[in-house]
Amino acid sequence: MINKLKKISLFFNIEESLLKEISSFSTIKHYSKDQIIFYEGEKENYFYGIVYGQVLMYDVDLKGNIIPKNQFGCGDIFGLISQIQNRPYCLSAISENESEIIKIDYSKFQKYISNPPFSDRIIKMLSNQIMQELEFNKLQKFDATKRVIYTLLNFPQKFVRKKKYMLAKELGMSAETLSRILSKLKNEEIICYCEKSIKVNDFEKLKSKLNES
């Protein structure tokens, strides 16, 4: 368990004795592809760390359509904010592929979070998350093409092994529109496809397109 905890960003370079304590109230869970981890509105005393795999946090609209919100991968934690705020999970979580996840009892962990290094790391994590949300909200002022370009420039991780229809929903467009925009950028050799991910070849040209009227 200790070696697995070391793979989680919150626990990097933490003393073995402290990791041993945390491991005493942590459990390993294995999730298959598309398996629900928790639903929005559930109230539990756990947060999670991903040893390997990917997790999607999502909302559901009134028609039952999934609205992707956040995607997490190896080393990431999720579900912690709800625990700190002592409220039910505000989003649902599902494993996007075979995943190994550490489930940590927050009621026993919370005594550590007011002291370094956890306090510093959690503050930084929350600050980064807030900044990302603020930046991502700027997408609303752009048309479809510029939403894709802005996301490529500022949130390239969203194009890493993410299902295209999920990303399209997150960007507020159809999968067909997203495919058409990406194909055009690829034909102009601004981006390329690399191992199920998208890589930017020409940042300057991409930036200039964002500034076009």
Side-chain angles (χ1 to χ4, degrees):
M1 174 64 79
I2 290 177
N3 286 334
K4 293 183 184 297
L5 281 171
K6 288 179 179 179
K7 296 180 180 180
I8 308 303
S9 58
L10 185 60
F11 304 117
F12 286 169
N13 300 317
I14 299 298
E15 293 180 3
E16 290 268 339
S17 58
L18 187 51
L19 289 177
K20 187 175 181 180
E21 290 179 31
I22 295 169
S23 69
S24 69
F25 49 82
S26 303
T27 55
I28 293 287
K29 298 276 290 183
H30 291 89
Y31 293 88
S32 56
K33 186 177 183 295
D34 295 330
Q35 184 176 350
I36 295 294
I37 300 168
F38 55 75
Y39 285 104
E40 176 186 357
E42 287 184 351
K43 182 71 173 74
E44 293 186 336
N45 290 323
Y46 300 99
F47 69 99
Y48 302 81
I50 304 173
V51 180
Y52 65 79
Q54 282 187 317
V55 170
L56 176 71
M57 300 280 285
Y58 67 91
D59 201 354
V60 178
D61 65 18
L62 294 176
K63 295 181 180 180
N65 298 313
I66 289 177
I67 305 171
K69 292 294 185 179
N70 295 302
Q71 189 177 46
F72 299 94
C74 301
D76 290 337
I77 61 171
F78 62 97
L80 179 59
I81 295 175
S82 294
Q83 301 306 322
I84 292 173
Q85 296 179 339
N86 191 29
R87 60 182 173 82
Y89 298 121
C90 58
L91 297 169
S92 299
I94 187 172
S95 59
E96 292 193 293
N97 49 29
E98 295 288 333
S99 301
E100 183 176 71
I101 296 173
I102 300 176
K103 187 176 181 180
I104 303 162
D105 189 333
Y106 179 76
S107 65
K108 296 178 180 177
F109 178 75
Q110 62 181 341
K111 66 181 181 181
Y112 301 101
I113 67 171
S114 59
N115 299 312
F118 296 120
S119 58
D120 300 334
R121 294 181 183 186
I122 290 172
I123 289 171
K124 184 177 181 180
M125 179 193 73
L126 294 178
S127 297
N128 288 340
Q129 202 167 61
I130 290 169
M131 288 302 297
Q132 285 193 12
E133 288 177 3
L134 290 173
E135 284 293 316
F136 201 63
N137 285 337
K138 292 180 181 178
L139 289 175
Q140 307 308 317
K141 66 181 182 181
F142 296 128
D143 62 23
T145 297
K146 289 188 177 181
R147 287 203 295 275
V148 174
I149 292 170
Y150 186 87
T151 305
L152 279 166
L153 289 170
N154 295 279
F155 305 97
Q157 71 277 9
K158 290 184 178 292
F159 292 88
V160 178
R161 299 180 181 277
K162 193 165 192 175
K163 294 176 182 176
K164 193 171 290 184
Y165 80 93
M166 289 287 194
L167 180 58
K169 283 186 177 181
E170 192 171 356
L171 295 176
M173 64 186 70
S174 68
E176 291 77 13
T177 298
L178 176 59
S179 293
R180 185 172 64 252
I181 294 168
L182 291 174
S183 293
K184 184 178 179 182
L185 293 173
K186 182 176 180 291
N187 290 338
E188 294 178 27
E189 299 184 345
I190 296 174
I191 64 170
C192 66
Y193 290 91
C194 180
E195 296 181 358
K196 298 184 179 180
S197 300
I198 293 174
K199 178 183 176 183
V200 177
N201 290 330
D202 193 332
F203 281 96
E204 293 306 315
K205 196 169 181 179
L206 195 61
K207 287 177 184 176
S208 68
K209 281 187 168 291
L210 188 64
N211 296 324
E212 289 176 358
S213 57

